[in-house]
Amino acid sequence: MSLQLEHVCDLTVELTPPHEVGTSGQGARRIIPIVGGSARGERLSGTILPVGADWQTVDANGVADLDARYAIQTDDGAVIEVLSQGVRHASPEVVARIMAGEAVPPSEYYMRTAIRLSTGHPAYAWVNCALFVATGGKVGAKVSLSVYQVL
């Protein structure tokens, strides 16, 4: 049996500058507040609430473990929790371009996340029993993700 993907929405996640925690045995730790954004799609549309953060660890090889929690308020009033865990990897040259705010095409680096969504709103109960994956990239203080339901 093969997997199929169905597009759910595109997210634009707005960030503030990171809080650098420092380097531990796992790598450099940082907390990046999530302060807003949008979700746009035929199955899910709304506003990203300013209630979350991405807790990142970047190892010595430049591989970033992404661990974000935030929430979407849909256009019809539901609140959906987002738990997104993923990996980002790029060459040192591409990382420097991204950090400088350049719009580096996502095809030049790897950024993928596994997402769980949850809500108590009956119109969106379908998100509670599904897995989602996303691909995307970062430009300046925003992350763009295309989210797909795994069927």
Side-chain angles (χ1 to χ4, degrees), residues 11-15 56 66 87-89 94 98 102-113 134-146:
L11 300 177
T12 301
V13 182
E14 298 171 2
L15 312 168
Q56 292 186 1
L66 314 173
V87 175
R88 185 187 67 230
H89 183 266
V94 169
I98 292 169
E102 183 179 331
V104 178
S107 60
E108 293 189 33
Y109 59 100
Y110 185 88
M111 184 173 166
R112 305 289 187 272
T113 64
T135 184
K138 183 175 185 295
V139 177
K142 294 182 181 180
V143 171
S144 296
L145 296 170
S146 290

Side-chain angles (χ1 to χ4, degrees), residues 13-64:
V13 182
E14 298 171 2
L15 312 168
T16 64
H19 299 283
E20 299 294 341
V21 176
T23 302
S24 68
Q26 293 85 21
R29 300 273 299 148
R30 65 176 63 113
I31 304 165
I32 306 169
I34 294 171
V35 296
S38 63
R40 295 286 169 249
E42 289 194 25
R43 297 185 65 203
L44 183 62
S45 285
T47 302
I48 295 176
L49 299 173
V51 295
D54 183 4
W55 300 70
Q56 292 186 1
T57 303
V58 182
D59 72 14
N61 296 317
V63 177

Side-chain angles (χ1 to χ4, degrees), residues 91-102 104:
S91 69
E93 296 79 23
V94 169
V95 170
R97 291 168 52 205
I98 292 169
M99 298 307 283
E102 183 179 331
V104 178

